[in-house]
Amino acid sequence: MATVLITTDYLHPGDDVDTLLRAHGHETVHSPAAGPRPDGEMAALLAGCDAAVIASEPVTAAMLAAAPSLRVIARSGVGYDSIDIEAATAHGVLVCNTPGANRHAVAEMTLALLLMCARRIGETTDGVRRGEWPRHDTRQLRGATLGIIGLGPSGRAVADLAHAFGMTVLISTGHPDPALDVTYVDRTTLLRESDFVSLHARAGGAPVIDAAALAEMKPSAYLVNTARGSMVDEDALVDALRDHTIAGAALDVFAIEPPDPDNPLLAMPTVVATSHLAGQTREARTDAGTAAAESVIAALAGRPAAGAINESAVAKRRP
């Protein structure tokens, strides 16, 4: 019997994921992540476990070094930049994610944010609540150009929905699929020609959207980020919005979450801000939680695990 730590906040004792893991003979320990933990808490939790199902909280090299029995970490989501993959591999810990589990949820939220920007819904509802009757100059999505940076499952799903709205879709990616009805362009062309720019790439070291990228965009364009907060230079975005370099932004993710209440982006009327919930429908949660649990079950049984990030590297290190 293995011990499986579960920190994803929407997974609970007695739910389908808990039942699935226990049906395979494993013991579960629930410690829902609700913001930053006290120093040492996550390390202590991992130290007593053989596997973990986590959301997006950090797993550092120090934590991994202090968890000798840990064999697998499964992210109940897509991004895994919060986990030190190099250190995990060095300690023989398999890391998995659940690609595609929340793609439809993310795509629908992306289109909702596009509509909020295009129709300036946030500004309008705020004005009505103040007793005003705003009649903003807005635009429709039909006939507009959407630039998608990245072509993972959510980027593909966004492209499908954008076509249904009558949008032209440009995509910048290192992995084009000729079967898709889109136009592939370099990133500079995408930034210059798009009315809306939506991020769906994997987070890397440097921001994808910095001051130079923002300067390439149309003054009437909007930026939408449902991927990772690290992909946008927030200081540069603040400057671009203040200088009217771009028209506005919709942000479901921030560099620090939750953001500081004094973050200037939160006070800007042209910014729509939500709480990292693009992939958090009940259907997506069920799919992601189940996929993560199945990866843990497979890995603990010595079978190939779906969504494995470093499987070949870990296999080479094992005797």
Side-chain angles (χ1 to χ4, degrees):
M1 179 180 69
T3 300
V4 182
L5 171 68
I6 302 175
T7 71
T8 303
D9 59 356
Y10 58 78
L11 298 177
H12 308 287
D15 66 10
D16 289 346
V17 167
D18 187 63
T19 301
L20 178 61
L21 288 165
R22 289 182 176 276
H24 281 79
H26 303 309
E27 178 186 0
T28 57
V29 176
H30 285 77
S31 181
R37 295 181 184 272
D39 288 346
E41 181 177 276
M42 187 62 173
L45 288 167
L46 289 171
C49 295
D50 303 285
V53 175
I54 69 169
S56 56
E57 59 185 321
V59 177
T60 66
M63 295 176 188
L64 291 160
S69 63
L70 189 65
R71 294 172 56 193
V72 56
I73 299 172
R75 272 278 289 112
S76 54
V78 178
Y80 49 86
D81 48 300
S82 61
I83 303 171
D84 189 325
I85 301 296
E86 184 177 349
T89 302
H91 289 283
V93 177
L94 184 69
V95 178
C96 305
N97 68 345
T98 55
N102 63 2
R103 64 190 184 281
H104 296 303
V106 172
E108 290 178 7
M109 183 66 172
T110 299
L111 264 293
L113 294 175
L114 287 175
L115 285 165
M116 290 191 73
C117 290
R119 303 304 296 269
R120 298 174 66 176
I121 293 172
E123 296 172 77
T124 300
T125 54
D126 287 347
V128 172
R129 289 192 181 100
R130 291 192 300 266
E132 302 167 2
W133 200 245
R135 308 287 287 176
H136 296 301
D137 180 33
T138 65
R139 66 163 304 160
Q140 60 191 34
L141 296 186
R142 180 167 294 278
T145 298
L146 170 63
I148 299 174
I149 297 179
L151 191 59
S154 67
R156 289 169 177 266
V158 169
D160 287 342
L161 293 181
H163 281 138
F165 275 83
M167 303 183 79
T168 297
V169 178
L170 305 179
I171 293 183
S172 171
T173 178
H175 306 282
D177 181 352
L180 292 183
D181 181 21
V182 299
T183 300
Y184 294 100
V185 295
D186 61 80
R187 190 167 297 176
T188 299
T189 300
L190 182 146
L191 293 169
R192 289 176 178 173
E193 296 186 3
S194 298
D195 300 301
F196 302 88
V197 174
S198 188
L199 304 182
H200 298 276
R202 186 175 297 169
V208 171
I209 301 297
D210 54 14
L214 291 162
E216 295 285 359
M217 293 174 64
K218 297 179 181 180
S220 58
Y222 290 86
L223 173 69
V224 178
N225 187 10
T226 57
R228 281 289 181 269
S230 61
M231 297 181 72
V232 175
D233 182 331
E234 291 184 359
D235 291 335
L237 179 58
V238 168
D239 291 341
L241 292 167
R242 285 175 174 165
D243 297 343
H244 305 290
T245 301
I246 65 171
L251 307 172
D252 184 54
V253 288
F254 290 83
I256 297 175
E257 295 182 351
D260 189 302
D262 294 328
N263 186 323
L265 290 168
L266 302 181
M268 292 183 163
T270 55
V271 172
V272 177
T274 52
S275 52
H276 201 153
L277 47 74
Q280 298 299 308
T281 62
R282 66 173 65 96
E283 295 87 354
R285 286 176 168 183
T286 297
D287 290 346
T290 301
E294 289 175 344
S295 292
V296 164
I297 291 166
L300 291 175
R303 302 193 306 270
I309 304 302
N310 60 340
E311 190 167 45
S312 59
V314 168
K316 290 178 181 178
R317 297 189 62 85
R318 288 175 178 163

